[in-house]
């Protein structure tokens, strides 16, 4: 399978740190301005598929459940209702998948990372810090 | 060239859990255990894997769940790959 062979071929060769700087920032200035405002519209901001009461993707749903469990008040933006937003946020964050979670204006990760941080207790620490 | 292979590399095609044609390769979960992840953040690890799979992500891979461990973290974990949550129908554009 090509996905597996790509991973095995490449994982040993590229220094992990280098990939951070490989981002091609292709967001338009208008979208960058808009997204700068969106990611800091609340202490916690989620770009997801569907809305918190009706998520349309299992990964987005998992994120809303974790945030609900922690009683977090957050802003959610539905990328399925706006195809331009969907692409713009991927470019802005340089992250290929949805959902994407921002805390205090900083990108913290997608579903896997939030679930992992929830398990390790890192998430609750971060939420406590922001009040 | 000094090529360090990952200690574990597991790829699961989860496409059959979604509303896509039989035999599709659209939804994947990968588990990687590698020394390369020592002293790196989760975001860095995910970015690294996303970059390796950039071409695949641009040509049909729609969902990619990632579990990235250092060997020490892997030893301490339950050493099992997770299952992705159930599809909720938003795959179609």
């Amino acid at each position: 399978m090509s996905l597996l062979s790509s991973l095995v071929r490449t994982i040993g060769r590229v220094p992990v740190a280098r990939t951070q700087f490989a981002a091609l920032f292709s967001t338009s200035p208008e979208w960058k301005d808009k997204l700068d405002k969106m990611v800091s519209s609340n202490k916690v901001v989620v770009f997801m598929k569907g809305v918190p009461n009706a998520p349309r993707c299992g990964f987005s749903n998992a994120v809303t459940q974790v945030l609900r469990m922690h009683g977090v008040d957050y802003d959610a933006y539905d990328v399925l209702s706006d195809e331009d937003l969907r692409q713009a946020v991927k470019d802005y964050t340089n992250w290929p998948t949805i959902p994407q979670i921002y805390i205090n204006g900083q990108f913290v990760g997608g579903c896997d990372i939030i679930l992992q941080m929830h398990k390790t207790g890192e998430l609750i620490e971060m939420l406590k810090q922001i009040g | 060239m000094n090529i360090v292979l990952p200690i574990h590399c597991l790829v699961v095609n989860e496409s059959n859990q979604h509303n896509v044609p039989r035999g599709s390769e659209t939804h994947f979960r990968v588990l990687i255990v590698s020394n390369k992840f020592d002293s790196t953040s989760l975001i860095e690890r995910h970015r690294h894997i996303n970059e390796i799979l950039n071409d695949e992500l641009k040509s049909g891979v729609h969902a990619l769940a990632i579990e990235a461990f250092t060997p020490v973290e892997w030893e301490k974990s339950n050493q099992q790959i997770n299952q992705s949550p159930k599809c909720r129908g938003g795959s179609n554009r």
Side-chain angles (χ1 to χ4, degrees), chain A residues 6 11-12 22 56 83 94 112, chain B residues 4 6 47 51 56 66 90 93:
Chain A
S6 290
I11 192 94
R56 289 179 57 198
E83 190 60 32
N94 187 31
D112 299 311
Chain B
V4 185
R47 283 207 193 283
E51 180 169 289
E56 285 81 358
I66 295 171
R93 288 196 174 229

Side-chain angles (χ1 to χ4, degrees), chain A residues 14-128:
Chain A
V14 187
V16 172
R18 204 197 76 192
T19 60
Q20 289 173 77
F21 306 106
L24 253 181
F25 211 83
S26 55
T27 321
S28 71
E30 299 89 85
W31 268 112
K32 193 189 169 299
D33 275 358
K34 257 195 218 176
L35 282 159
D36 282 346
K37 290 192 184 97
M38 288 166 104
V39 300
S40 41
S41 65
N42 203 335
K43 284 178 180 170
V44 179
V45 172
V46 179
F47 295 88
M48 61 179 288
K49 292 182 177 176
V51 294
N53 286 331
R56 289 179 57 198
C57 155
F59 300 104
S60 290
N61 184 47
V63 168
T64 61
Q65 291 204 4
V66 167
L67 293 177
R68 195 171 300 137
M69 201 182 297
H70 290 287
V72 180
D73 171 51
Y74 61 96
D75 282 3
Y77 297 99
D78 177 12
V79 303
L80 289 182
S81 67
D82 186 342
E83 190 60 32
D84 290 341
L85 170 64
R86 181 177 181 167
Q87 191 53 50
V89 73
K90 287 180 183 179
D91 295 338
Y92 180 81
T93 319
N94 187 31
W95 195 263
T97 48
I98 305 288
Q100 298 186 8
I101 297 91
Y102 279 79
I103 298 181
N104 255 4
Q106 295 290 315
F107 178 61
V108 291
C111 176
D112 299 311
I113 290 180
I114 285 291
L115 291 188
Q116 180 72 16
M117 288 171 66
H118 168 63
K119 278 186 206 155
T120 60
E122 226 179 305
L123 181 63
I124 192 134
E125 281 308 311
M126 201 181 253
L127 292 171
K128 266 188 209 157

Side-chain angles (χ1 to χ4, degrees), chain B residues 35-82:
Chain B
N35 290 312
K36 287 263 163 184
F37 298 142
D38 289 345
S39 358
T40 60
S41 69
L42 286 174
I43 289 192
E44 284 167 343
R45 298 174 196 184
H46 282 231
R47 283 207 193 283
H48 185 55
I49 294 168
N50 284 335
E51 180 169 289
I52 291 169
L53 296 174
N54 188 31
D55 289 347
E56 285 81 358
L57 283 160
K58 282 192 174 139
S59 57
V61 171
H62 169 91
L64 181 66
I66 295 171
E67 297 178 57
F69 297 94
T70 66
V72 173
E73 290 166 352
W74 176 243
E75 280 301 316
K76 285 189 199 153
S77 77
N78 62 5
Q79 305 194 2
Q80 278 176 357
I81 193 162
N82 287 315

